[in-house]
Amino acid sequence: MERDVFIFVPAYNVQSTIADVLSKISPAMRARSKVLVIDDGSLPAIEVLAATNVVVHRFSQNQGYGAVVKFGIAAGLAAGAKYIACLHGDGQYPAEKLDEFIAELDRCGLALLQGSRHAVAGAARSGGMPLYKRIGGAVLTAIENIAFRQKLTDRHSGFIVYSAEFLKTVNLDKLSPSFDIDLELISIADSRGFAIGELPIPTRYAGEKSNLNVVSYGFRVLRQTFRRLVR
């Protein structure tokens, strides 16, 4: 089978979860995928990955989430993949859903497909998402939906699968080095008339420590949204 899917896994302080995340990629998806774990300057020797048939790239120093995403996308494009998926190594996002997402992209021809924790009412709360994140995410998404043509229920989920056809039109060097890179890519797709979509995913929070500064992230999102409104 042709390996037309490229999965890159941002990994920062995820020693306790990375093996479980990789184990949830279905055999069928593994058969058609190349998997790259990108260690952002945090992991020790990863013996647990030795038998998982994945490639590991290590940054000697922490580069930030945006740098990891850009590296993963560039690697996926260089590999000739048709679809490129971002699967976080902390276990919050469902690796087992990749088959469904790829099938939907095949069916609909979207530029990108984002997992939504809010598509099903009450799912985020029952999955343990902290109240401040539920409120903050809902407010930001509502504001963003005013600015963007295509409406989504959860613009701040990091579970995204992209078509290489869309990504080839993006200048990666101009994208953010931080967490708002996901929103930038969604914004670019929307502004250029590419079709985007979302599918519901389960919410999983288990008390893990986030590396995201929600205040500065929120201001960056608002600045980007304002720029879109002005345009």
Side-chain angles (χ1 to χ4, degrees):
M1 178 182 290
E2 181 184 4
R3 293 183 181 269
D4 60 345
V5 179
F6 189 92
I7 304 168
F8 69 91
V9 185
Y12 184 73
N13 290 335
V14 294
Q15 294 91 325
S16 63
T17 56
I18 184 70
D20 185 58
V21 168
L22 295 173
S23 73
K24 290 179 179 177
I25 301 174
S26 74
M29 183 54 57
R30 287 299 296 269
R32 66 181 293 190
S33 301
K34 294 180 180 178
V35 182
L36 172 67
V37 172
I38 306 171
D39 165 28
D40 195 14
S42 71
L43 296 176
I46 317 177
E47 292 86 356
V48 73
L49 299 183
T52 62
N53 195 30
V54 303
V55 175
V56 179
H57 177 85
R58 291 184 174 89
F59 292 152
S60 59
Q61 294 181 329
N62 183 263
Q63 301 294 310
Y65 177 74
V68 171
V69 171
K70 286 188 275 188
F71 186 91
I73 289 174
L77 291 175
K82 182 178 181 181
Y83 301 117
I84 299 175
C86 179
L87 175 65
H88 291 202
D90 61 4
Q92 283 196 21
Y93 296 120
E96 67 275 12
K97 284 277 190 176
L98 285 170
D99 302 78
E100 179 183 353
F101 273 62
I102 296 299
E104 183 72 3
L105 285 169
D106 271 334
R107 187 178 70 85
C108 298
L110 303 173
L112 65 87
L113 190 58
Q114 185 175 34
S116 172
R117 300 158 295 183
H118 301 290
V120 177
R125 179 179 180 181
S126 63
M129 182 183 289
L131 178 61
Y132 75 92
K133 286 194 173 184
R134 298 202 308 271
I135 294 175
V139 170
L140 288 175
T141 294
I143 295 172
E144 292 164 87
N145 278 339
I146 295 172
F148 299 109
R149 288 178 295 180
Q150 299 177 78
K151 313 307 178 185
L152 299 170
T153 61
D154 184 7
R155 289 183 175 273
H156 305 284
S157 160
F159 188 71
I160 308 176
V161 183
Y162 303 91
S163 76
E165 180 181 1
F166 159 63
L167 291 175
K168 289 174 183 176
T169 71
V170 178
N171 185 342
L172 298 177
D173 291 336
K174 292 186 176 181
L175 298 181
S176 169
S178 190
F179 283 94
D180 37 322
I181 188 172
D182 293 337
L183 173 59
E184 284 184 335
L185 286 164
I186 295 170
S187 174
I188 290 169
D190 184 83
S191 67
R192 294 179 180 175
F194 285 94
I196 63 178
E198 64 181 8
L199 288 176
I201 59 171
T203 302
R204 294 171 179 167
Y205 276 83
E208 61 276 343
K209 182 180 178 181
S210 174
N211 299 299
L212 172 66
N213 184 315
V214 294
V215 176
S216 61
Y217 171 75
F219 278 115
R220 291 196 304 272
V221 169
L222 291 173
R223 183 172 65 244
Q224 190 175 149
T225 304
F226 177 74
R227 288 174 179 171
R228 179 64 187 274
L229 283 169
V230 170
R231 290 171 185 169

